[in-house]
Amino acid sequence: MTAFAEHDLTLPDGRTLHAYDSGGPGLTVLWHHGTPNLGAPPGPLLPLGEELGIRWVAYDRPGYGSSTPVPGRTVGTAAEYATAVTGALGIGRFAVLGHSGGSSHALACAALLPDRVLAAAGLAAVAPFHDETWFAGMAGPGALRAAVEGRAAKEAYEATARFDPAVFTDGDFAALKGSWSWLDSVVQPALGAVGLIDDDLAYVAPWGADPAAITAPVLLVHGEDDRMVPAAHSRWLAERCPGAELRLTPGDGHISVLDHAAAALTWLADQASSASEATTGAT
């Protein structure tokens, strides 16, 4: 099984960012975690990653684990953190992969770091907040509606919030007990973290990054039965990301869509390899 070195990086302003690195010479895939999660790379994908020769790199977003909170951070500041982590590890170009809100951060990196990001893949991505239709189809929009009202409302909401099982399908619960039971190991330590509040506030604020600016290949995978982040979010993104490939998976919800993550990782490795070869050929 892939082992990770963990580092607490000190950023130029003195803040700490907790990072993960599997090491190795292969393609670097920078994993972006969901909300609320710690940032450890996805356990169920590690065996395939070894076959593909992937070097996994990741970090806990500010406010999770030992990463210093950054109130007011945006989705787009993920590019700053990605630059800090890869720079500290001596990594040049890399691919990005994420789930749920992590997909949004991955896409923001691709938009803001066009010379660094070889390819981007997101599962169950959250689109930039645009209007009331953004909430359409969400089984439990209360947390994000509270975020729209501001930090005080969001903090008050979280003080009494309880998990609503309506946001998950039967397939989601099956995945949580089976193929993606690993998620419990990164969700439980993140519950109650200020990072959750900062994440949700970022999702309903301007990203500080334009998906239309992405030049790297993009794959968006979304379950058609997703009740937490409806598939309309990936449709919206696909219409605006130049050349994006959209895969809607019938019967999948927010978690069971992760059963397609292996195919997304294989796609990512293929696209990154092609992009890297094209760059080498051009020089």
Side-chain angles (χ1 to χ4, degrees):
M1 182 60 70
T2 304
F4 298 101
E6 297 190 34
H7 311 275
D8 275 335
L9 303 178
T10 301
L11 303 181
D13 62 2
R15 289 182 290 117
T16 294
L17 195 68
H18 188 75
Y20 306 78
D21 176 28
S22 68
L27 166 69
T28 295
V29 173
L30 180 60
W31 167 252
H32 294 265
H33 66 83
T35 301
N37 289 187
L38 294 186
L45 295 183
L46 300 186
L48 175 59
E50 288 186 1
E51 292 179 21
L52 297 173
I54 284 171
R55 176 181 183 177
W56 290 99
V57 173
Y59 62 91
D60 297 336
R61 277 196 298 278
Y64 291 106
S66 59
S67 292
T68 309
V70 181
R73 61 177 167 83
T74 67
V75 171
T77 52
E80 172 190 333
Y81 310 133
T83 299
V85 172
T86 56
L89 296 173
I91 294 167
R93 304 188 74 193
F94 53 91
V96 291
L97 174 66
H99 173 236
S100 190
S103 297
S104 309
H105 289 82
L107 293 172
C109 281
L112 293 171
L113 302 173
D115 296 332
R116 304 283 308 283
V117 175
L118 293 161
L123 298 108
V126 181
F129 182 74
H130 39 276
D131 56 38
E132 183 65 21
T133 63
W134 191 81
F135 295 105
M138 290 186 183
L144 291 167
R145 286 192 178 279
V148 171
E149 297 177 23
R151 188 174 197 90
K154 175 62 179 171
E155 290 176 343
Y157 178 91
E158 290 301 329
T160 60
R162 297 292 183 270
F163 173 70
D164 181 358
V167 300
F168 286 158
T169 65
D170 289 345
D172 288 332
F173 286 112
L176 285 169
K177 292 179 180 178
S179 55
W180 281 86
S181 60
W182 164 85
L183 278 168
D184 190 59
S185 70
V186 292
V187 170
Q188 289 301 322
L191 294 176
V194 69
L196 181 155
I197 291 172
D198 292 329
D199 274 355
D200 279 2
L201 290 170
Y203 297 141
V204 300
W207 276 18
D210 184 359
I214 298 175
T215 56
V218 173
L219 174 65
L220 298 166
V221 184
H222 216 120
E224 289 188 339
D225 292 348
D226 194 328
R227 300 174 185 172
M228 181 172 283
V229 180
H233 282 242
S234 281
R235 291 192 186 97
W236 190 96
L237 284 162
E239 290 174 356
R240 289 159 178 82
C241 294
E245 178 180 346
L246 175 63
R247 297 181 186 175
L248 299 178
T249 61
D252 281 317
H254 197 67
I255 304 300
S256 62
V257 72
L258 285 167
D259 287 334
H260 301 275
L265 182 61
T266 301
W267 177 94
L268 197 64
D270 289 343
Q271 293 294 325
S273 176
S274 296
S276 182
E277 290 173 2
T279 300
T280 301
T283 55

